[in-house]
Amino acid sequence: MSLRLPIAAGNWKMNLDRASASELVRGLRQGLAPRGAVEVLVFPSFPLLGEVGAELVSSPIGLGGQDLHPEESGAHTGDVSAGQLADVGCGWVLVGHSERRHDHQEGDDLVASKVVAAARGGLVPILCLGETLEERRSDRTLEVIDRQLTAVAAVAPDEMVVAYEPVWAIGTGETASPEEAQVVHRFLRRRSAELWGEARAEALRILYGGSVKPDNAPDLIREIDIDGFLVGGASLDAEKFLAIIHACGESAA
Ligand code: 13P
């Protein structure tokens, strides 16, 4: 059991519209204790942020953006800034999600500059990292994770969260086993201690993501270095997401 407050974060990706997002939020609010033992966050797509943000006022659920631009403002069509996210109620932002790295060719340097922008704008970055199937098969998992973490070594704010999401487990129904995930989480904590010192590494929350479901969450969260989840598909269903949130809460109890 860890002393770190677990996080259950729902990454809604490019799903939902205003009506279905509102319904989901209502379902979550009904099923959540006013101040539970879990930090619950949702990451709607940009057009939904304002409305979802308004519905979350005076709720225990936090709001985040799925991405941001490194600059504060200016001629960057299609992008959003940290300030704009904060303005609609976001306190968090995903950075370096594998779908951004893949769909938009985002490299480690860009990801690092987004971490800087998030912190400058008062948002907590959730740094996403993870290996592809090919990298795992060629036994390069820890090398890739190390590279992605070290890329933010010089710029990471104290308040940062890391999400390990093996690319091969995202949306595939395949999950890393608790033991496989724990090996990477342990490695991340050890490397964090080397980069930022023991105290910060001990406090760092490291989430697992990749086909997390109500039936695999309890076993995963039992691992000592797994401090919560970044959930895609299952976070679109209030009942499933609540079951995952409660699994996190039980581990913290
Ligand atoms: P799934 O839970 O749908 O596999 O998605 C994981 C993810 O990418 C969360 O950011």
Side-chain angles (χ1 to χ4, degrees):
M1 191 193 73
S2 98
L3 295 172
R4 299 171 285 269
L5 181 67
I7 294 178
N11 174 8
W12 295 351
K13 309 194 179 184
M14 200 170 69
N15 295 299
L16 304 179
D17 55 17
R18 287 180 303 151
S20 52
S22 294
E23 196 183 319
L24 177 53
V25 167
R26 274 197 299 276
L28 291 176
R29 289 191 70 164
Q30 273 164 17
L32 280 179
R35 194 148 297 288
V38 184
E39 194 151 9
V40 180
L41 311 173
V42 293
F43 294 81
S45 43
F46 295 140
L48 305 177
L49 280 172
E51 198 149 321
V52 171
E55 296 213 24
L56 292 181
V57 170
S58 77
S59 92
I61 305 173
L63 183 70
Q66 295 178 11
D67 183 43
L68 82 170
H69 191 276
E71 299 295 330
E72 285 176 53
S73 64
H76 303 288
T77 303
D79 281 307
V80 302
S81 68
Q84 290 175 316
L85 292 174
D87 189 45
V88 291
C90 290
W92 304 77
V93 66
L94 302 181
V95 177
H97 192 281
S98 69
E99 286 147 19
R100 299 292 315 175
R101 293 181 192 258
H102 179 265
D103 293 357
H104 300 273
Q105 293 78 46
E106 292 194 4
D108 290 329
D109 291 347
L110 179 60
V111 170
S113 65
K114 290 184 176 197
V115 167
V116 172
R120 191 179 53 216
L123 303 174
V124 179
I126 299 190
L127 172 72
C128 304
L129 37 74
E131 81 288 3
T132 63
L133 185 58
E134 192 208 330
E135 288 160 346
R136 173 161 284 257
R137 285 199 173 134
S138 55
D139 210 12
R140 286 190 290 135
T141 298
L142 297 183
E143 173 195 320
V144 170
I145 300 296
D146 190 15
R147 193 201 73 224
Q148 291 173 333
L149 186 73
T150 308
V152 306
V155 298
D158 281 357
E159 246 202 297
M160 183 178 81
V161 171
V162 171
Y164 168 54
E165 299 203 298
V167 179
W168 50 271
I170 295 179
T172 58
E174 266 199 59
T175 333
S177 68
E179 297 74 22
E180 280 171 333
Q182 168 61 22
V183 166
V184 176
H185 282 233
R186 176 96 296 235
F187 175 79
L188 282 165
R189 200 171 307 283
R190 262 202 298 110
R191 278 297 288 145
S192 301
E194 286 164 11
L195 296 172
W196 303 304
E198 285 292 340
R200 231 172 107 176
E202 236 350 272
L204 179 70
R205 288 179 289 176
I206 307 176
L207 315 183
Y208 171 80
S211 297
V212 175
K213 303 281 184 269
D215 60 351
N216 57 28
D219 284 340
L220 284 160
I221 197 70
R222 235 170 260 135
E223 295 294 336
I224 188 81
D225 290 298
I226 298 183
D227 305 310
F229 300 119
L230 182 53
V231 187
S235 74
L236 299 171
D237 178 316
E239 209 175 306
K240 288 185 185 156
F241 192 33
L242 283 166
I244 293 168
I245 293 165
H246 291 141
C248 292
E250 266 149 42
S251 92

